[in-house]
Structure formats: structure tokens, C-alpha cells
Amino acid sequence: MQKASKDQFDQLRLLDSPTIFNAIVEVSNTTGGGQPVCYTGQTLKSLTPDLGCVVGYAVTSEVTTNDEDSAALPWDDYYKLLDQTNAPIMAVMRDVDTRSGRGANFGDNMAAAHVGLGVVGALVEGTVRDLPGIQAAGLAIWAHGTVPGHGVFNLTSVNRSVVIAGLIIHPGDLLIADLNGCTKIPGDISLDKLIETSHEIRDREQRFQEMCRQPGFNYKKWKTAREI
């Protein structure tokens, strides 16, 4: 598990998931690690973009939202785990129902309880409802979309690895999510190095974009800048 200090969390929240991904690639290339695909796919949408960027440790679960006869664990197991996990937490929930997404995984009451237990964001491989209430609770949330209701809501697993929008997420993984989606931060990369590299990337991109806006910008200048 990647452990972050309060200062590191504060610095990560000032960045964004694409820059963090670019920094992961850059740091990995210097150590021979290659280019990891450590981000969610396009099916996962930010439904509360006004809440900005969040960073937290993954607490994972699987649920069904309509299958009455699915094996069910006590919801106490899940909420007790949230209570015992150091904040900030990212709730990572996968709908494994036979009609995944047909019923909502999250609503406003659930969001309020999560925020009270230290959850800053939720990644949902499924759907949610009561979106204005979720936003009012202060829970940043990502999902496939919204629906008005659900059937029998069963918890089927807690704290196991899950796949969310094509990304394998393990319990305790450090995640950064924003309007673009979610990037998983590998546990073997120094956070200080990652943050430093992210700022270097931002500075390079800012200089490049400023050059593009200058009068007389042309292909030759573009090519020269790309070769630096």
C-alpha cells in the first residue's frame, strides 16, 4: 500500500489525474518499468465535477441491486471497515448483479454516511440516484449514470480486488480522480518524486502552450519544441 503524508495528499489534490498518469509513465521509464495502463476507461463518468479532484485509499466492495437470491453479507461488515480505515477513503463499488446498472448503488443517505466515515469519493461500476443529494453531502462520485431506484440491495463481497472501468483496483490502492477519470498510483513509486515530476510536466506543458499562442507559430517551431 502506498502511504501518503497529509502534505503529500494536499499536493496531489492540486494536480490532476492526467498529469499524475504522465508522471507515472515518466518515472517508470527511468526505472525500466515501461508504460502502465493504470487508469479507468471511458465508461466511468464524473457526475459531480464541481467537487474537483479527490485522492484516497481504496475500500472495495461488490453488490447486487436486484438479485434477491444473491449471497448476502451483513452491511455492518462494510461500514465497520470504513470506520476502521484511515481517511481519506475512496469507496470502490462494483455492481455484479445479473442486470448490472439497472438498480442504483448509491443514494444521498448512503453518501452522507460515507462522508461521515471519511470517504471523499466513490467509484461505481454501475449507477447511482439522488445525485443532487450526493453532491450536497460532499461526496465526489463517478459512475455510468443515474436511475431512480433499485431492488433488493445485497453486499456480496468486501475488500477484494475489483475491476472498475477496465482498471484492477486492490484494497488500499492510492487513487486520484477528477473530471477525466481515475488514475491508480503504483505503490513502488516515490510520492515525492511523482509530485516533483508532475510539476515539471506542468511547467513544460505551460511553456509549450504559451509558445503555440505566440504570433508566427508554425510547424518548424512545433517540431523544434517537440524535440527538446
Side-chain angles (χ1 to χ4, degrees):
M1 181 190 296
Q2 180 76 277
K3 287 290 187 181
S5 66
K6 181 183 182 303
D7 180 63
Q8 287 170 330
F9 271 117
D10 291 342
Q11 292 187 64
L12 287 169
R13 280 192 292 267
L14 295 175
L15 296 165
D16 55 75
S17 62
T19 300
I20 289 293
F21 170 75
N22 288 344
I24 290 169
V25 172
E26 195 161 307
V27 173
S28 296
N29 285 338
T30 63
T31 60
Q35 183 157 326
V37 181
C38 54
Y39 57 90
T40 52
Q42 77 279 8
T43 57
L44 196 70
K45 309 295 185 186
S46 171
L47 303 183
T48 54
D50 291 345
L51 295 180
C53 179
V54 296
V55 183
Y57 298 115
V59 169
T60 63
S61 62
E62 293 177 310
V63 302
T64 57
T65 53
N66 287 290
D67 290 341
E68 296 183 15
D69 57 351
S70 61
L73 300 174
W75 276 99
D76 286 359
D77 294 353
Y78 175 72
Y79 284 98
K80 186 180 296 184
L81 177 62
L82 292 179
D83 188 49
Q84 294 171 346
T85 301
N86 291 331
I89 300 167
M90 189 79 78
V92 180
M93 184 174 288
R94 180 177 178 85
D95 185 352
V96 294
D97 198 276
T98 54
R99 293 176 289 167
S100 176
R102 187 66 183 88
N105 295 53
F106 257 86
D108 50 4
N109 286 340
M110 197 168 173
H114 275 64
V115 170
L117 292 171
V119 179
V120 294
L123 307 179
V124 178
E125 182 79 352
T127 58
V128 303
R129 67 175 187 169
D130 302 316
L131 189 55
I134 292 174
Q135 178 148 337
L139 182 71
I141 201 158
W142 290 257
H144 292 183
T146 59
V147 295
H150 61 78
V152 175
F153 190 30
N154 285 335
L155 175 70
T156 62
S157 80
V158 179
N159 236 25
R160 291 169 49 183
S161 298
V162 297
V163 177
I164 303 292
L167 176 65
I168 299 175
I169 298 177
H170 309 291
D173 279 345
L174 183 59
L175 308 173
I176 178 169
D178 57 15
L179 181 60
N180 302 280
C182 174
T183 295
K184 179 173 70 173
I185 300 174
D188 59 351
I189 289 183
S190 161
L191 288 178
D192 286 335
K193 181 62 176 175
L194 188 67
I195 292 166
E196 177 187 357
T197 304
S198 295
H199 286 293
E200 291 172 355
I201 289 170
R202 274 193 167 180
D203 290 344
R204 288 201 306 266
E205 290 182 346
Q206 183 176 357
R207 290 195 300 270
F208 177 78
Q209 291 168 23
E210 287 175 351
M211 183 191 69
C212 292
R213 291 191 289 268
Q214 294 301 313
F217 176 72
N218 55 27
Y219 166 73
K220 184 177 180 180
K221 291 181 178 179
W222 174 86
K223 186 173 177 60
T224 300
R226 296 288 292 176
E227 291 173 349
I228 294 175

